[in-house]
Amino acid sequence: MDTKYMGIDVHSSTCSFCVLDSQGIELDHRTIVTNGRLMIQYLQSFGENVMVAFEECDLSSWLFDILRNHVRSLIVCNPVANAQYKRAKTDKLDARNLAHLLRGNFLHPVFHDGSGREKLRMLVSGYDDTVQESTRLQNRIEAIRRRSRSPEVTTHAAFVLKQFTERLRQLERMKDEYQRELETQVKRFKETKYLISLPGIAYIQAARIIAHVIDPNRFKNKYKFFAYCGLVRHRRQSGGRDYGTTRIFGNRSLKCVFKMAAHSALRGSGSMRQYYDALRQKGLNDNAARNAVARKLAAVALSLWRKKQLFNEHMILNGLPVKG
């Protein structure tokens, strides 16, 4: 049976579909209201041998859940990786471009499995947005207080400062509610007890790890996980010349989790501090040693989750050189 390749440009109100056959000939193009029942009916009109692709967006988890049982394969792809193929920008062209990339096997998939861990991501995202807005508002309040020292802006600044202060109190209450809900929800997952046994990892950090990783076995090795977390730098070379290093696209939330966990773990005198001291003795500067500690925490977190083990200080100490 001839395989059909379908690209979908997803929006909150409508979705644009483009369908190609195995020869790359366009069979149909249509715009449909973003309604699960109507979209499934359209998919089923092309039979069972249909491959579908759409880009990661706010609706991707919902769309993945309703479509995955009605197609041969479903790819949620990374829009950043697709940017190099885009020229003109319309919904029809975007859908057609996705269909051609799917047919040529050029798409970079984003992991989805529809599990409860993936649904936890929405709660984590809401908490992170609240924290960011609270931080931004605190910075604006501080800036207004500095400006209000000038007599000509004092009256207006007092009014704005009052509004911002009330909003900040609301955000702080929201943040507390998010934290309580996150702690309640994350305790339902068995891997939480393994993750919180790590130095610098509490319930909120464990929730972030679970929500973004979802399945630890999807990473071939720890180095793939480092890249996903944005904890590595890649060397840039061309024509035999070295142009330094650069960081590739990574998960900022996980990068923040392991960086802050490393910062917290180094305050004590445990195994992570000893690991840091050993790196410094080898000649690494402070920044490089802290980055190495963050990567070590990420590697151990992945290992604990896979093996269902609690953290033990000897996991780190056994790899350190013995002092004579």
Side-chain angles (χ1 to χ4, degrees):
M1 185 180 294
D2 190 26
T3 302
K4 309 296 190 306
Y5 301 91
M6 181 180 294
I8 309 176
D9 189 44
V10 182
H11 297 279
S12 59
S13 56
T14 61
C15 293
S16 294
F17 292 75
C18 181
V19 185
L20 306 177
D21 64 11
S22 58
Q23 304 300 317
I25 299 173
E26 185 172 326
L27 301 178
D28 189 36
H29 176 271
R30 191 169 303 186
T31 299
I32 299 176
V33 175
T34 306
N35 178 286
R37 179 179 57 82
L38 296 178
M39 297 169 77
I40 291 173
Q41 288 178 356
Y42 181 69
L43 281 174
Q44 291 175 339
S45 67
F46 292 95
E48 297 180 354
N49 198 21
V50 180
M51 300 178 67
V52 177
F54 56 89
E55 292 183 338
E56 176 74 13
C57 61
D58 291 338
L59 298 177
S60 56
S61 294
W62 167 76
L63 198 56
F64 179 86
D65 285 340
I66 66 171
L67 297 185
R68 61 176 173 169
N69 295 325
H70 301 278
V71 296
R72 195 183 90 184
S73 72
L74 179 60
I75 294 179
V76 184
C77 56
N78 186 349
V80 176
N82 298 339
Q84 59 181 317
Y85 301 109
K86 294 182 179 180
R87 298 294 183 267
K89 172 71 176 174
T90 67
D91 293 347
K92 180 178 180 179
L93 290 176
D94 286 347
R96 181 185 298 161
N97 186 51
L98 280 173
H100 280 292
L101 292 175
L102 175 62
R103 176 174 169 268
N105 196 28
F106 293 117
L107 293 177
H108 298 266
V110 176
F111 184 81
H112 282 270
D113 70 347
S115 66
R117 293 175 180 83
E118 184 176 340
K119 292 176 173 60
L120 180 66
R121 189 179 296 176
M122 181 180 295
L123 191 60
V124 171
S125 178
Y127 172 74
D128 288 341
D129 290 343
T130 303
V131 172
Q132 290 175 9
E133 187 176 354
S134 175
T135 302
R136 180 183 62 83
L137 207 54
Q138 289 179 42
N139 292 335
R140 293 198 64 183
I141 289 174
E142 181 61 28
I144 290 173
R145 284 174 176 166
R146 291 177 179 176
R147 291 178 58 191
S148 63
R149 296 169 186 169
S150 175
E152 60 270 16
V153 297
T154 301
T155 303
H156 302 301
F159 176 80
V160 176
L161 191 61
K162 179 182 177 182
Q163 302 301 317
F164 281 179
T165 303
E166 291 178 359
R167 175 59 179 161
L168 182 60
R169 292 196 189 101
Q170 294 176 356
L171 289 172
E172 291 298 326
R173 288 194 294 269
M174 288 174 58
K175 188 165 68 172
D176 292 339
E177 292 174 4
Y178 265 116
Q179 289 176 347
R180 288 193 293 269
E181 183 64 18
L182 276 172
E183 289 187 16
T184 300
Q185 296 298 328
V186 78
K187 288 178 182 178
R188 298 180 179 180
F189 300 103
K190 295 180 180 179
E191 58 269 22
T192 300
K193 65 179 180 181
Y194 309 126
L195 294 174
I196 63 174
S197 66
L198 262 175
I201 302 295
Y203 285 112
I204 301 300
Q205 290 75 26
R208 284 191 173 121
I209 296 172
I210 293 171
H212 289 285
V213 175
I214 303 175
D215 181 5
N217 295 314
R218 68 189 179 101
F219 297 100
K220 184 177 180 180
N221 51 52
K222 64 181 180 180
Y223 304 106
K224 297 291 185 182
F225 187 51
F226 294 162
Y228 179 74
C229 296
L231 294 174
V232 293
R233 300 186 71 90
H234 293 261
R235 189 160 298 281
R236 301 168 60 194
Q237 292 179 332
S238 179
R241 296 183 60 184
D242 195 330
Y243 293 91
T245 60
T246 183
R247 291 194 183 277
I248 62 170
F249 179 79
N251 190 303
R252 294 182 179 180
S253 183
L254 288 179
K255 179 180 178 180
C256 178
V257 166
F258 291 116
K259 287 274 192 177
M260 295 304 295
H263 181 74
S264 176
L266 292 179
R267 292 177 179 174
S269 57
S271 58
M272 285 300 172
R273 182 69 200 193
Q274 296 179 47
Y275 178 70
Y276 168 84
D277 292 337
L279 293 174
R280 293 285 282 152
Q281 290 177 4
K282 289 182 179 180
L284 270 69
N285 60 38
D286 176 69
N287 188 53
R290 287 179 179 272
N291 288 337
V293 172
R295 287 192 291 271
K296 174 64 75 172
L297 284 170
V300 174
L302 193 67
S303 177
L304 294 179
W305 190 347
R306 283 174 171 171
K307 297 178 181 179
K308 298 179 173 57
Q309 293 179 345
L310 295 175
F311 176 72
N312 189 306
E313 298 283 347
H314 294 291
M315 294 178 179
I316 307 299
L317 297 177
N318 289 342
L320 297 180
V322 179
K323 296 182 179 180

